[in-house]
Amino acid sequence: MKSRVVLLTLVCVSLLFTIPASAKDTWISVRSKNFHLVGNANEKEIRQVATKLEQFRETFRQIFPRVKLSQSIQTNVIVFKDDGAYRPFKPKNASGKTIGSIAGYFQPGTDVNYITLAIDADMKDTYGIIFHKYVHFILEANFGKSEVPAWFNEGLAEYYQTFKIENDQKVTLGIIQPNHLYFLQQSKLMPLKSFFEIDNYSLHQSGSHSRSIFYAQAWALIHYLLQGVKGGNADGLNNFLTLVMKGAKPEDAFQQAFLMDYPAMEKALTNYVAQSKYYSSVLSFKQKLIFDTEMKTAPLSEAESNAFLGDLLFHTNSLADAEIYLQKAIALDPKSSMANTSLGLIRTRERKFEEAKAFLEKAIAGDARNHFAHYNYAYVLSREGMDEFGFVQKYAPDSVKRMRDSLVKAIELNPAFTESYQLLSFLYLVNNENLEEAIVLLKKAADLQPGNQQNQYLLAQLYLRQEKVAEASALAEKIFRTADEPDLRAKAQALINNIREYQEKRAFFDKQTKELEDRGIKAPILVKRKGEKPLTEEEVERIKRENEIISLNSAVKRPEAGQTEAVGYLDRVACVRGEVVYTFRSETESFTLTSKGFGELDLMAMVEEAQNLSFGCDADVKAMKAVVIYEPAKVANAKSRGTLRALTFVPQYFERKTEEELKNARQTVIVEDPRDDPNAQAEFEKKRREMMLENIRNNLRKPAEGETRVFGVVERIECSGGAMYFVAKVDDATLKLKARSPQIRSFSAEASGLQFGCGVKMPQLRAYIIFRGSILDAGELVSVEFVPPSFKPEE
């Protein structure tokens, strides 16, 4: 779901005006079983690319039959006729220059993946990059980026990177990579215990040399497991994946899958690397892997080709370039659903929500079956009410209806697209309704994308809302332990704190309950006013009345031994010959009681109108309900039934319960939703914001030795002499820092989707900046971490 704060990717914007797709180019669309390819290469070449990708995917499927390859995310492939046509769409380096050596790349996304390549490039290297990233995509979709150990994720991707197939039948895997051999020969192997403990987050925080050693050792270990062991151990890898997916600890899963512990494997791997002999694995399929007959080809209009190129640039965060192509597509075809959808998303990034909705409405009108347009229309509505952290208190009824209708339609059109399930569940969570349905939706999404940690985070919140504390705590702890995105770790920590606070309150309530039960008093029942079945006003009043009746019964005096009580009305109070005569009427009879005076009478008032009552002779109290306690007369058939000892005025709705009934009675406590109480909501929001700010503070990068951290505002980006510089305002000073490969992170929804490139003028966003060197000289930028406007720097 896109409401989360995202880890920003450093993408530079070219100052050169990129030329939209030329009308002279002939673009076609080729659909294979699992990929959608478009391009201006010729049909034969595009079909060959499709075949290669399908063959790789099928080979992976046959080796790992337990891995789910039918993904919920569409993979588009753009095939350029040559490097010149491809160049405007290649990634750019830190100085804003196109990386000309790149011949292809894989761009994963939450909504669509993109593969791009040029036909006239070195296809061996091109496919290697694509295969590597595609393995990551498969593993992360099945298990989650943080669930699969880093050594397995990187090692398997490196192993499959050299995939080669001949005659559509003979597959070669595990071809030697010289750079890995170099590092293995020049460096000592890391102890496996330390090696296995490196996760994705810490791996990418380490230096490039350390990462290279890690990649080489990961490749060697996978190579050994698949080819160094006699007969290979693909079954072991399959078993390892299955055990990890079921929640087994990696060390236990490793020993069970490979039948050896870490020390034994470390010895075997050391010996394998020392011999410097690596053999490729050759597989020959019984039948040729031919997919050409399944492919469907169609011409692509100029508007459609521009829409694809604009959408590609949008997904690589090149928004300015993307808009050129998208506007060209709309000029050629105003109804272009794809172009209008992408422009709507660009406007959403710019927080121009009204314009975004207008584009998405056009996208839906242009193609009512575009599930992505329906989903994103709901997404824009969801973003309108979010604060600087990406949180929202509650959605208005009109917004709820429009969002629900759009998401239900999106799910109907494409049941495999998990983002729709996630956003609908988020809507239900925010408005505290249909919680069980929300959990069902997330479980459907988990079936499609088991490794999606955003799903797990949302599910943990739902569990906590349902007071399933153990389930919520287990998920939150797991996310915090394994997430490699700082914002998700911060949110998981905040959720853990909420769970602990709930547990403390629950423990206090349980303690009070036990104390009551030890005294023979039943603990109250907790009922949410706006839970799964919201209480009506009539039900609320009935519960309050029942509670009052129970309380009154506990407070109203009961008769002692030899006494009797009755509930009814005093029709008359008269003073006659030195005594007081009371005429009492119950539901079944009337009788007389007497007392010598009022002084010895135990008189109580449980209703407001009787609080200041002057009770005496001729008192008019016949309208007030009363409980009387008297001592029965010793003489039968006496004029007075007995002597009045106690009189308690009670509300009209009072009902006397027996001691047995009162013993088993339980009051009901109605738990109000703080969002319905402005004061409670304000206090809740204050605490939540304080918690989020504290979590951000705890997750900020700490400067290492030789580094300086300052707090300021990044104003602009300049490029000169082949280098990029970040210019920031720190107090009254201007800081100019060279940016080679800085880490850029965001803890603020306001910074989501920002672009970084030569000449870009930045919005006034506050940030922590870490650099090496002196402020007086042009230091080297290490990291930029954007924080919300309300964040205050450390003292």
Side-chain angles (χ1 to χ4, degrees), residues 312-372:
L312 166 66
L313 289 165
F314 165 74
H315 282 88
T316 57
N317 282 329
S318 297
L319 304 192
D321 290 345
E323 181 148 357
I324 295 171
Y325 285 89
L326 296 172
Q327 292 288 7
K328 175 69 171 177
I330 288 179
L332 293 166
D333 178 10
K335 295 182 179 179
S336 172
S337 187
M338 186 178 197
N340 277 298
T341 299
S342 298
L343 277 169
L345 291 175
I346 289 176
R347 294 295 178 267
T348 303
R349 290 270 191 95
E350 297 168 343
R351 300 189 66 80
K352 298 176 181 178
F353 297 122
E354 290 302 319
E355 291 183 40
K357 286 187 290 186
F359 276 119
L360 288 162
E361 286 166 0
K362 291 177 183 176
I364 293 170
D367 181 5
R369 299 194 60 79
N370 182 348
H371 74 280
F372 195 47

Side-chain angles (χ1 to χ4, degrees), residues 512-548:
Q512 288 186 315
T513 297
K514 188 176 185 307
E515 290 174 354
L516 289 173
E517 290 177 343
D518 289 344
R519 290 160 47 196
I521 302 172
K522 293 285 185 180
I525 301 169
L526 299 181
V527 176
K528 292 183 179 180
R529 179 165 188 165
K530 294 194 174 181
E532 284 292 281
K533 294 183 178 180
L535 298 174
T536 64
E537 290 300 322
E538 292 75 12
E539 288 172 325
V540 170
E541 289 303 315
R542 179 183 58 77
I543 289 172
K544 289 180 179 178
R545 184 64 52 83
E546 285 293 327
N547 287 341
E548 289 180 24

Side-chain angles (χ1 to χ4, degrees), residues 701-703 707-709 768-771 780-783:
R701 187 183 185 280
K702 302 296 187 292
E707 297 177 348
T708 302
R709 183 169 74 172
Y768 271 105
I769 302 164
I770 296 179
F771 64 94
E780 181 181 346
L781 183 65
V782 175
S783 66

Side-chain angles (χ1 to χ4, degrees), residues 8 45 272 278 283 308 317 349 367 407 474 536 563 626 678 703 748:
L8 295 180
E45 291 169 330
Y272 185 67
Y278 300 91
L283 306 173
F308 269 103
N317 282 329
R349 290 270 191 95
D367 181 5
L407 291 169
T536 64
Q563 295 180 338
S748 170

